C-alpha cells in the first residue's frame, strides 16, 4: 500500500520547493496531505509498484477535458496536484528515430508549463516524481532531476554503460535505480550524490521497488535481491543457478508479498514470495504483473482479469474478459479498476462488483490477425500507464496523444 511518509514528504517538499533530508521533513498541512495522497508518482503509481491509489477522487463517468499530440508515443504520466508530466517521443516521423523529451502541463487546460526539455535520441526514457522534483532516466543510464514548476535542470548523474527501461524510484529522500548491467545505485534526491553502488545477481531490465524493508530488484522468477536502503548491503538473495532471463517483467509489492513474473514459452506465472521469509506463498497463471486494492489482488491471464479476495483464500469475486484475450490492470484508484483492453479500449470497473462504469477508446481496434500482447507498449519507446490526480484522469492514446478526462 501507499507509504504515508512518502506522500507526506512529497507534498511538503513540493509546497516548499526545497529538498530536505527525509528525516527533517515536517508533515504538510492537511489540505496538502490530501492533495498528494490523490496523486500518481510515476509508472505503476507508487514506490512499491502496486498500481494502487486508494484515496483518488476521480470518479467515472468522465468527459474529455483536452488532448495534446506529442508525436509518436507518451510514457506513463506523473500526475501531482494541478500538474501532469510525461516523457514523449516528439518525432513526427520525419527524423528517422526517437527524440525523447520531458513535458510539463497544466492539468486543467493542457497548456505547457515550460518548453519541452530534450533528453535523448535513444528510446527508453522515463520519468518519476518524489521530494518535490521530477526525475528522468534514459536508456543509457543518464539520470536527471528537474524543477517541476519551471523545467529547470537541477542535476545530472551518468550511471555509465547503462541499459535502463524502467524509471528510478524515489523513497524518503533517496533515488534508487539500476543500470541494467548488474549494478544498483542509490542517489540523494536533492543533489544526486551517490550514496552506494552494489553488484546485482543478474543483468537486464528490471524495475526497482522500495518499501520499509528495503530495495527489491527482481529478474523474472529467476532471481531477486533485497538490499538495505541505507547501505546497499544484501539482506536476502534468491536465484536459480545456471539460468538467466530477460529480466523485463515488472515486479510489485502487494498483499504482503513480493510478486515476480516469468514468461518461458507458453508458461506464464506470477509467484508471490513472503517479504520476510522468502517462502513461496502462491503461484498463479498470469501474463501481466498483478495490481492491488484493499484486500484484493487483480490477476490477468490471456485476457481474463480476476479480482481475488485476500481475506477469503484468494476466492474470485468477479472476472472481466477481453474479446482479444489481452488485458492489463493499469490502475486501482478510488474504488475503481482501470483496465487497458487489447481491443484498444480503457475499461473502468467497479472495484467491489466488477460492473462496468465507463469506457473510452484510446486506440483503433487491432487487425484481427495482429498478435496483441498484454502489458506491452506497442511503440516500445517507454513504459505505458495511466495516472490520476485531483479528480482527473490522464491516459496516453494512439500516435503520441495524451488525453485528460474530468467529471462528466
Amino acid at each position: 500500500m501507499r507509504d504515508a511518509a512518502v506522500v507526506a514528504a512529497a507534498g511538503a517538499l513540493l509546497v516548499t520547493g526545497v529538498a530536505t533530508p527525509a528525516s527533517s521533513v515536517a508533515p504538510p498541512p492537511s489540505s496538502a496531505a490530501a492533495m498528494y495522497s490523490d496523486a500518481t508518482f510515476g509508472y505503476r503509481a507508487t514506490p512499491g509498484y502496486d498500481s494502487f491509489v486508494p484515496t483518488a477522487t476521480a470518479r467515472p463517468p468522465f468527459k474529455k477535458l483536452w488532448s495534446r499530440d506529442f508525436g509518436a508515443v507518451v510514457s506513463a504520466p506523473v500526475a501531482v496536484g494541478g500538474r501532469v508530466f510525461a516523457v514523449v517521443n516528439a518525432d513526427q516521423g520525419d527524423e528517422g528515430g526517437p527524440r525523447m523529451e520531458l513535458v510539463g502541463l497544466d492539468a486543467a487546460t493542457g497548456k505547457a508549463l515550460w518548453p519541452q526539455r530534450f533528453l535523448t535520441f535513444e528510446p527508453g526514457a522515463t520519468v518519476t516524481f518524489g521530494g518535490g522534483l521530477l526525475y528522468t532516466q534514459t536508456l543509457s543510464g543518464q539520470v536527471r532531476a528537474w524543477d517541476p514548476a519551471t523545467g529547470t535542470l537541477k542535476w545530472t548523474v551518468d550511471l555509465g554503460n547503462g541499459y535502463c527501461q524502467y524509471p528510478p524510484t524515489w523513497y524518503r529522500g533517496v533515488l534508487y535505480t539500476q543500470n541494467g548491467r548488474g549494478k544498483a545505485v542509490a542517489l540523494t534526491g536533492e543533489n544526486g550524490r551517490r550514496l552506494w553502488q552494489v553488484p546485482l545477481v543478474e543483468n537486464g531490465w528490471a524495475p526497482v521497488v522500495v518499501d520499509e524493508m528495503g530495495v527489491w530488484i527482481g529478474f523474472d522468477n529467476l532471481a531477486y535481491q533485497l538490499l538495505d536502503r541505507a547501505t546497499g548491503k544484501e539482506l536476502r538473495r534468491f536465484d536459480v543457478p545456471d539460468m538467466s532471463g530477460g529480466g523485463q517483467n515488472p515486479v510489485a509489492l502487494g498483499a504482503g508479498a513480493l510478486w515476480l513474473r516469468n514468461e518461458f514459452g507458453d508458461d506464464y506465472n506470477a509467484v508471490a514470495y513472503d517479504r520476510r521469509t522468502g517462502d513461496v506463498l502462491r503461484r498463479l497463471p498470469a501474463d501481466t504483473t498483478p495490481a492491488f486494492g484493499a484486500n484484493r489482488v487483480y490477476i490477468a491471464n490471456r485476457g481474463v482479469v480476476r479480482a481475488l479476495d485476500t481475506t477469503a483464500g484468494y476466492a474470485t469475486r468477479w472476472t472481466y474478459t477481453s474479446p482479444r484475450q489481452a488485458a492489463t490492470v493499469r490502475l486501482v484508484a478510488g474504488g475503481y479498476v482501470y483496465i487497458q483492453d487489447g481491443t484498444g479500449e480503457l475499461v473502468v470497473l467497479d472495484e467491489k462488483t466488477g460492473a462496468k462504469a465507463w469506457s473510452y477508446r484510446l486506440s483503433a481496434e487491432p487487425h484481427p490477425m495482429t498478435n496483441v500482447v498484454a502489458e506491452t507498449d506497442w511503440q516500445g519507446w517507454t513504459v505505458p500507464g495511466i495516472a490520476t490526480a485531483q479528480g482527473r484522469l490522464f491516459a496516453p492514446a494512439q500516435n503520441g496523444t495524451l488525453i485528460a478526462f474530468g467529471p462528466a
Side-chain angles (χ1 to χ4, degrees):
M1 293 186 62
R2 173 164 294 211
D3 189 283
V6 173
V7 174
L13 293 176
L14 186 59
V15 170
T16 63
V18 178
T20 57
S23 60
S24 66
V25 173
S30 58
S31 59
M35 179 186 298
Y36 294 105
S37 67
D38 179 19
T40 309
F41 298 124
Y43 177 58
R44 292 184 63 87
T46 72
Y49 276 34
D50 58 12
S51 300
F52 187 30
V53 187
T55 53
T57 54
R59 299 286 187 273
F62 298 107
K63 66 178 180 181
K64 184 191 289 188
L65 300 178
W66 52 261
S67 65
R68 290 284 306 272
D69 182 355
F70 288 105
V73 74
V74 178
S75 74
V78 170
V80 182
R83 302 166 179 166
V84 60
F85 309 92
V87 167
V88 304
N89 175 11
D91 177 23
Q92 296 286 350
D94 56 359
E95 299 184 33
R99 187 175 83 247
M100 309 305 290
E101 297 180 352
L102 175 66
V103 301
L105 307 172
D106 180 271
T109 65
K111 182 180 178 180
L113 299 173
W114 25 262
Q116 293 177 202
R117 305 306 191 198
F118 173 78
L119 299 175
T120 180
F121 286 116
E122 301 173 322
T126 52
V127 62
T128 195
F129 174 88
L133 294 176
L134 293 168
Y135 301 96
T136 59
Q137 183 165 290
T138 65
L139 181 71
S140 59
Q142 188 175 68
V143 182
R144 297 185 181 102
W146 308 83
D147 184 322
T150 64
T152 302
L153 179 65
K154 307 295 288 186
W155 54 258
T156 301
V157 170
D158 195 335
L159 301 181
N161 191 31
Y163 199 53
C164 310
Q165 183 184 25
Y166 296 101
T169 299
W170 184 93
Y171 190 87
R172 297 186 180 182
V174 179
L175 198 67
Y176 300 94
T177 189
Q178 67 103 5
N179 72 344
R181 306 285 190 183
K183 179 172 66 178
V185 179
L187 308 170
T188 57
E190 180 181 3
N191 56 27
R193 180 171 59 89
R194 197 168 303 219
L195 298 176
W196 50 257
Q197 176 179 309
V198 298
L200 296 173
V201 67
E202 282 274 354
N203 297 342
W205 289 338
V208 178
V209 298
V210 188
D211 67 359
E212 75 281 1
M213 286 190 65
V215 181
W216 304 82
I217 304 177
F219 298 88
D220 301 325
N221 281 316
L222 305 174
Y224 75 79
Q225 286 168 279
L226 172 61
L227 308 176
D228 183 86
R229 294 203 323 264
T231 66
K233 178 183 177 182
E234 183 178 274
L235 303 178
R236 186 192 309 153
R237 174 189 292 196
F238 164 81
D239 67 291
V240 181
D242 303 319
M243 290 186 67
S244 61
Q248 53 186 311
N249 295 317
V251 302
L253 295 167
L258 171 73
W259 295 76
L260 287 83
R261 288 201 301 116
N262 66 269
E263 295 180 8
F264 297 123
D266 292 329
D267 183 24
Y268 301 91
N269 289 290
V271 180
Y273 298 86
D274 187 282
R275 290 164 61 250
R276 301 196 178 278
T277 67
D279 295 338
V280 173
L281 299 176
R282 63 190 70 249
R283 185 184 302 269
L284 301 169
D287 59 7
T288 69
T289 302
F292 303 88
N295 301 320
R296 291 284 176 90
V297 176
Y298 298 95
I299 290 282
N301 189 49
R302 303 185 188 281
V304 178
V305 177
R306 292 187 294 151
L308 306 180
D309 189 335
T310 60
T311 67
Y314 279 64
T316 299
R317 293 308 185 196
W318 52 259
T319 62
Y320 168 85
T321 301
S322 163
R324 291 304 297 265
Q325 298 186 317
T328 304
V329 179
R330 293 291 186 203
L331 198 66
V332 180
Y336 295 90
V337 180
Y338 293 77
I339 296 174
Q340 188 164 340
D341 194 295
T343 61
E345 280 196 309
L346 176 62
V347 180
V348 184
L349 307 179
D350 183 279
E351 186 176 10
K352 292 182 179 179
T353 66
K356 186 175 179 178
W358 183 77
S359 65
Y360 187 88
R361 178 162 296 283
L362 296 175
S363 61
E365 173 86 34
H367 187 277
M369 298 302 293
T370 300
N371 180 31
V372 180
V373 180
E375 203 170 36
T376 296
D377 174 25
W378 67 281
Q379 285 284 353
W381 297 126
T382 187
V383 293
I386 61 176
T388 183
Q390 294 192 337
R392 303 183 185 97
L393 179 70
F394 307 94
Q398 194 167 17
N399 299 326
T401 300
L402 179 64
I403 303 176
F405 301 93

